[in-house]
Amino acid sequence: MEEKIVSPTEAAADETASEKSRGQELKDLLFYEQKDAFEGLTKEIRDAAQAFCVPYAKFLDAAKTEREAVLEGIKMAEAHGFVPYTFGQKVKPGDKFYINNRGKSLHVFVIGSESLENGIRISAAHVDSPRIDLKQHPVYEDTGACYLKTHYYGGIKKWQWVTIPLALHGTVCRADGTTVDICIGEDDCDPVFYITDILPHLGREQSTRPLGTAIDGESLNVLVSASPFDDEHADQKYKLSFLAALYERYGITERDLMSAELSIVPAMKARDIGLDRSLIGAYGHDDRVCAYPMMLAAVEAENPVHTLYAIFADKEETGSDGPTGMQGSLMTDLFADLANTLGANIHKVRANSKCLSADVNAAFDPKFSGQFESRNSSYVHRGVVVTKYTGSGGKGGTNDASAEYVGYIHNLLTREGVLFQTGELGKVDAGGGGTVAKYISAHNIDTVDIGVAVLSMHAPYEVVSKYDVYETYRCVKAFNEDV
Ligand code: MN
Ligand code: MN
């Protein structure tokens, strides 16, 4: 097509023409122009987002495992007057409760002023993140050092976890029945741990392997100590030296490690990324980047109309199994308990409930544009992502929210001026993934995924937009408050 040459007088005449052509009018009516980055993000909103992400960064540093996130969540809830709940207890509108489920998932709820049969406003996010767990017999020594055997947790690219500073977090039950929480590598005075890699000079064979096999699972052995115990009569002096240090610090023995939950996570702290300070890098944005704003929106609610319920779920990264995963029955047990106490029909309660499953989506990365479909991907700085369906290979394993429910959410966000975008996880058949959405909607509850677009998802250090975090908070707040 040739370029049309417009004379200055023609251009001036065009600008003064007030009437649009039929085609222009129709285009305005029919087209949906996807929102651009920063669109509608006023200076006021951007400033608020910057302030919002200061405590978010602290939360990230304090909560690197689901157990730590639960403790931080309880602090947030208690600061807003929430108290522990006991099944069967009396409740009234305005009451605020939480349930700490085995220290690994947190359920927070506020009783609304309207009938429970009008439904509960649910928001769900997970607080476990991909990491490297210790095996049950982890400690061994080899050639002048002590190492820990591991079994990775969730979907990691194993080669990303070598040669970075690592911390050890977890819970150990001692033989006397007491338990102790462990955290080494987060305090600036602490040592950190490390997984070695072969030097490039000798990595010729390794570099010919496909990336996914360059570092194999059984080689993710963590270097934790490299001095012998000072006793010439002792056997396995390097292992002994490590266990002696651990015993001195925590009073635990090798026997106690057999039952422990110990995880290796990146020792890096959350930092602003870029001179403009619009992005945050951190370990475990997936899914604390949704969990934090969601929990805040719930605990800040005072005398809501709807009953509000928010959950920090565990085990999402490995399939939501177990009593603390979203396939566990505690959420529906609680709803049944409340229905019973308040004289509501539990089937009506569930049928009229609505849920935001808050989890991350993959942000379009121009370096890897071949794995995305640009018209349907989510982008950094374009607001909260509404993900109608997840899944893989022909939408396998997806909740796929209804037109009516997604339409309701889009209309709500438009009305409230929340910047939102749609998002599909990569191009068709590039891979895929799932969330907790399907485990909630299975209880006859309308559910849709919303959340934040993440760059380098599941890497030891992930990146998100501060503005998207804040728009996610505004999204959940609008959802909770909509009557
Ligand atoms: Mn997630
Ligand atoms: Mn994930």
Side-chain angles (χ1 to χ4, degrees):
M1 189 186 287
E2 71 189 274
E3 192 183 356
K4 187 183 174 224
I5 309 295
V6 181
S7 76
T9 47
E10 275 178 333
D14 275 359
E15 276 169 25
T16 54
S18 59
E19 302 239 326
K20 287 182 175 172
S21 72
R22 175 71 180 142
Q24 286 169 322
E25 278 179 357
L26 259 185
K27 183 168 179 272
D28 288 349
L29 176 71
L30 299 180
F31 281 29
Y32 179 78
E33 298 295 346
Q34 297 209 50
K35 297 282 191 295
D36 217 337
F38 291 96
E39 196 168 332
L41 294 182
T42 59
K43 179 162 189 320
E44 195 183 359
I45 291 177
R46 281 182 280 130
D47 288 348
Q50 287 285 348
F52 186 86
C53 286
V54 174
Y56 171 53
K58 291 205 171 77
F59 175 81
L60 284 165
D61 292 341
K64 290 192 174 181
T65 64
E66 64 278 358
R67 285 178 182 270
E68 291 164 353
V70 165
L71 292 177
E72 291 300 310
I74 290 173
K75 279 187 211 163
M76 289 163 74
E78 288 184 339
H80 287 86
F82 284 68
V83 295
Y85 178 76
T86 311
F87 278 110
Q89 79 169 82
K90 283 200 164 52
V91 300
K92 61 178 190 309
D95 282 356
K96 305 166 174 184
F97 299 102
Y98 68 83
I99 297 175
N100 172 356
N101 183 11
R102 298 166 167 86
K104 291 163 68 71
S105 74
L106 177 65
H107 306 241
V108 163
F109 55 104
V110 191
I111 308 298
S113 58
E114 66 170 8
S115 165
L116 196 69
E117 289 188 355
N118 291 349
I120 297 169
R121 294 292 165 122
I122 302 163
S123 48
H126 67 93
V127 287
D128 60 315
S129 297
R131 62 184 183 225
I132 301 176
D133 286 347
L134 298 197
K135 293 191 183 193
Q136 287 174 280
H137 294 285
V139 191
Y140 73 99
E141 70 168 60
D142 193 356
T143 324
C146 181
Y147 299 89
L148 301 176
K149 291 296 296 178
T150 65
H151 191 144
Y152 64 96
Y153 174 97
I156 64 167
K157 289 163 125 180
K158 296 184 256 310
W159 54 269
Q160 292 180 331
W161 293 71
V162 299
T163 70
I164 60 171
L166 298 166
L168 178 66
H169 293 232
T171 298
V172 182
C173 298
R174 302 187 187 98
D176 65 3
T178 58
T179 65
V180 58
D181 289 334
I182 283 182
C183 181
I184 306 173
E186 298 296 344
D187 190 292
D188 287 341
C189 303
D190 269 348
V192 294
F193 305 120
Y194 189 81
I195 301 172
T196 58
D197 194 6
I198 189 73
L199 60 166
H201 318 62
L202 300 179
R204 198 171 291 168
E205 185 277 327
Q206 184 195 45
S207 68
T208 63
R209 284 185 243 157
L211 196 56
T213 61
I215 301 288
D216 82 292
E218 286 295 351
S219 76
L220 291 175
N221 304 320
V222 186
L223 174 61
V224 289
S225 184
S227 305
F229 190 81
D230 190 14
D231 179 348
E232 62 180 283
H233 304 294
D235 190 22
Q236 298 189 64
K237 294 187 186 68
Y238 291 88
K239 176 174 172 176
L240 181 59
S241 159
F242 171 70
L243 285 174
L246 210 55
Y247 184 75
E248 188 180 324
R249 188 158 168 162
Y250 294 109
I252 57 176
T253 68
E254 187 176 27
R255 177 196 177 278
D256 304 334
L257 299 182
M258 283 196 294
S259 59
E261 282 180 15
L262 288 168
S263 302
I264 296 290
V265 297
M268 301 168 282
K269 292 194 182 341
R271 303 284 294 265
D272 286 352
I273 296 220
L275 283 177
D276 62 310
R277 297 183 176 268
S278 66
L279 306 168
I280 319 179
Y283 164 67
H285 280 307
D286 177 7
D287 186 29
R288 294 173 193 109
V289 72
C290 298
Y292 177 81
M294 177 207 81
M295 187 55 68
L296 204 60
V299 299
E300 285 176 348
E302 292 286 346
N303 300 309
V305 173
H306 309 292
T307 293
L308 306 180
Y309 165 88
I311 177 171
F312 275 4
D314 179 31
K315 293 281 185 287
E316 192 277 342
E317 295 295 356
T318 54
S320 297
D321 300 291
T324 53
M326 226 37 246
Q327 295 198 68
S329 71
L330 186 47
M331 178 186 80
T332 46
D333 288 352
L334 170 64
F335 291 179
D337 200 58
L338 293 176
N340 193 34
T341 307
L342 294 167
N345 179 314
I346 180 60
H347 305 296
K348 286 186 185 168
V349 173
R350 277 165 32 175
N352 291 324
S353 290
K354 291 183 170 68
C355 174
L356 295 181
S357 161
D359 206 343
V360 296
N361 204 321
F364 182 87
D365 185 340
K367 271 179 64 185
F368 300 99
S369 58
Q371 304 312 310
F372 294 89
E373 192 269 279
S374 61
R375 290 181 178 82
N376 285 284
S377 293
S378 57
Y379 292 78
V380 161
H381 290 331
R382 290 195 194 177
V384 61
V385 188
V386 180
T387 304
K388 187 175 184 295
Y389 51 86
T390 59
S392 63
K395 293 190 173 182
T398 181
N399 163 61
D400 207 346
S402 72
E404 291 87 344
Y405 189 51
V406 179
Y408 159 72
I409 296 294
H410 286 177
N411 291 341
L412 172 67
L413 298 179
T414 303
R415 201 172 66 231
E416 296 299 323
V418 176
L419 180 60
F420 75 94
Q421 57 183 325
T422 63
E424 178 161 340
L425 188 68
K427 71 178 185 185
V428 174
D429 290 338
T435 67
V436 299
K438 63 178 177 175
Y439 305 118
I440 299 169
S441 60
H443 298 294
N444 195 30
I445 296 169
D446 271 324
T447 304
V448 68
D449 283 295
I450 61 107
V452 174
V454 180
L455 288 166
S456 309
M457 193 198 295
H458 283 207
Y461 211 66
E462 305 171 317
V463 179
V464 301
S465 151
K466 292 180 183 177
Y467 311 129
D468 296 343
V469 182
Y470 189 60
E471 291 303 279
T472 298
Y473 166 72
R474 293 179 65 221
C475 166
V476 181
K477 218 169 164 61
F479 171 78
N480 287 347
E481 291 171 1
D482 183 47
V483 287

